Amino acid sequence: MPRAFITGITGQDGQHLAEFLHNKGYDVFGLVKGQNNPRMDLLRDEFPFVQPVPGDLADLPSLVKALETSQPDEVYNLGAISFVAMSFNQAELTANITGLGVLRLLEAIRMVGGTSNNKIRFYQASSSEMFGKVRETPQNEMTPFHPRSPYGCAKVFGHDITVNYRESYDLFACSGILFNHEGPRRGLEFVTRKITNAVARIKLGLQDSVTLGNLDAKRDWGYAGDYVKAMWLMLQQDQPDDYVVATGETHSIEELLALAFAEVGIDDWHPYVKQDPKYFRPAEVDLLIGDSTKARTKLGWAPEVDFPGLVKLMVENDLRIESSRNSR
Ligand code: NAP
Ligand code: F7E
């Protein structure tokens, strides 16, 4: 059986990828940080097939040990401080985990896999946030980077060091430049889930309104379940390469609000939405839209869930969760 090691196993993508690889017959190992990680229960209950391995992206020896224990054929680096807003307040931590963490894991792979004929295949979770103040629209693999947050800067380092290790040490290292992808497992701090959860709670009479920041931002939002397939496909190719993964459509937060509220029968969302400057960022990424032609032609990848389908999926899930939580 092939063996996969995933950092960020407790996050949204880690959960989808673990499920996907398990269904493909992989032995799945996942890096879990902390001495009493609150998400261990989730792993044990919902993903009993995942073998947890202790460690932290800030700690090289723990990564070496984790690779020695799991002996993976494929390593997926999904672990990161991934919340852009938080990266402005904890920039050094973000640089250390989201940026330097990639370097540590690549070094661990070189140490454990050997420097020549290294068989371990590596996936780096790069991000559309690297395009930031976009130089062209839509963005593809050749578009120059102009990050607008400490998170974006750390991801540029992670991306560049992945390319550099591929070119310097002949590692099979790929970088997936993924645009926003969401779903029922998305953290409540991100705008899509914040909205779908609030809509469910408003419908059930559990809250009156939702307070947001910049409503003008536009994103290319896809479904996380579709995007983890692209990660895996990258590691099945003959040659390592980098790919943009996106839907090619962009939507505003106002469109998201309209769809989410309509899903529960509310035609006018305005009375339920407030704004607070505390949710605005020091610098914004205003318009992201990805050109994933390379992934579509070379990997044969295509998204299956469209934007209205994604919003529906998320609102229905939050209605289910909130009603069962409040009927106990
Ligand atoms: P997420 O839900 O925020 O998950 C982040 C994961 O990183 C969690 O499992 C977290 O563990 C782990 N982590 C944090 N600090 C760590 C550390 N010091 N050592 C080891 N692990 C650590 O993120 P996601 O949405 O699944 O995204 C997965 C990856 O793709 C991230 O690298 C993100 O930056 C990148 N990305 C995401 C998107 C998107 O739209 N979702 C788009 C492009 C790129 P705990 O649970 O223990 O905190
Ligand atoms: O913000 C605006 C906010 O936090 C989206 C991460 O997975 O995708 C994600 O980063 C937009 C921004 O995601 C609120 O200003 C308005 O313009 O949901 P988000 P993100 O910043 O796009 C990229 C690709 C990643 O790589 C990241 O890891 O929504 N916005 N009002 C708000 N955002 C939040 N969170 N909360 C608000 O109240």
Side-chain angles (χ1 to χ4, degrees):
M1 273 211 226
R3 296 160 77 92
F5 173 72
I6 304 173
T7 72
I9 191 83
T10 51
Q12 170 187 254
D13 291 6
Q15 294 173 44
H16 278 285
L17 183 64
E19 211 165 57
F20 177 86
L21 294 175
H22 175 65
N23 290 335
K24 288 232 168 271
Y26 279 68
D27 274 342
V28 181
F29 297 80
L31 188 78
V32 180
K33 77 175 203 296
Q35 61 190 56
N36 184 17
N37 190 310
R39 284 165 154 176
M40 265 307 288
D41 288 348
L42 169 99
L43 264 193
R44 257 188 237 110
D45 296 348
E46 290 187 33
F47 307 92
F49 52 84
V50 169
Q51 302 181 53
V53 184
D56 198 300
L57 284 165
D59 184 74
L60 174 62
S62 75
L63 298 176
V64 172
K65 187 96 201 300
L67 293 182
E68 284 170 351
T69 307
S70 54
Q71 293 290 320
D73 302 292
E74 296 172 10
V75 170
Y76 294 86
N77 184 36
L78 311 184
I81 302 296
S82 78
F83 189 34
V84 174
M86 175 178 149
S87 78
F88 285 101
N89 291 323
Q90 297 183 37
E92 186 182 344
L93 181 70
T94 305
N96 191 21
I97 305 304
T98 307
L100 282 176
V102 188
L103 173 63
R104 292 190 191 96
L105 192 50
L106 286 164
E107 274 302 319
I109 288 173
R110 288 185 67 214
M111 289 158 97
V112 173
T115 46
S116 65
N117 200 18
N118 194 326
K119 292 279 192 288
I120 297 177
R121 295 187 167 208
F122 176 76
Y123 172 85
Q124 166 56 15
S126 286
S127 165
S128 52
E129 281 293 302
M130 301 188 306
F131 298 125
K133 193 172 165 59
V134 297
R135 304 277 183 87
E136 61 180 355
T137 298
Q139 299 87 46
N140 63 35
E141 293 79 7
M142 302 308 288
T143 304
F145 300 140
H146 187 146
R148 295 275 279 172
S149 63
Y151 169 82
C153 294
K155 281 290 181 189
V156 170
F157 175 78
H159 177 86
D160 286 346
I161 203 70
T162 299
V163 174
N164 180 259
Y165 269 49
R166 175 170 77 218
E167 293 174 356
S168 305
Y169 306 116
D170 202 23
L171 286 185
F172 194 107
C174 300
S175 176
I177 307 175
L178 271 53
F179 282 60
N180 294 57
H181 45 279
E182 321 286 319
R185 291 169 173 152
R186 190 57 144 153
L188 285 163
E189 66 274 33
F190 299 96
V191 78
T192 50
R193 185 79 197 287
K194 182 173 171 179
I195 290 173
T196 59
N197 182 260
V199 165
R201 290 177 59 81
I202 289 167
K203 175 68 180 172
L204 297 170
L206 300 169
Q207 77 183 56
D208 299 327
S209 61
V210 57
T211 306
L212 301 171
N214 176 19
L215 302 187
D216 295 330
K218 290 186 165 182
R219 290 290 186 277
D220 180 330
W221 278 298
Y223 172 54
D226 289 340
Y227 284 39
V228 296
K229 186 175 180 194
M231 299 175 187
W232 174 76
L233 282 169
M234 286 177 215
L235 298 199
Q236 312 314 308
Q237 304 307 302
D238 290 338
Q239 296 300 324
D241 207 343
D242 308 320
Y243 298 87
V244 160
V245 178
T247 69
E249 285 179 22
T250 193
H251 297 277
S252 67
I253 292 179
E254 296 203 351
E255 285 174 80
L256 169 60
L257 284 165
L259 279 173
F261 275 96
E263 201 54 50
V264 297
I266 298 175
D267 291 333
D268 182 11
W269 52 267
H270 293 87
Y272 302 97
V273 176
K274 297 178 183 159
Q275 276 183 290
D276 188 323
K278 82 174 177 197
Y279 293 115
F280 283 71
R281 296 172 184 178
E284 246 305 1
V285 171
D286 285 325
L287 174 62
L288 287 177
I289 176 163
D291 173 1
S292 57
T293 306
K294 184 173 166 185
R296 289 170 196 249
T297 50
K298 288 199 167 176
L299 304 178
W301 176 85
E304 286 175 19
V305 178
D306 65 7
F307 184 59
L310 173 66
V311 177
K312 185 177 168 59
L313 194 75
M314 292 179 72
V315 172
E316 284 175 353
N317 171 71
D318 278 315
L319 277 172
R320 216 168 22 246
I321 292 176
E322 291 298 333
S323 1
S324 75
R325 183 177 291 149
N326 290 285
S327 64
R328 279 186 216 136

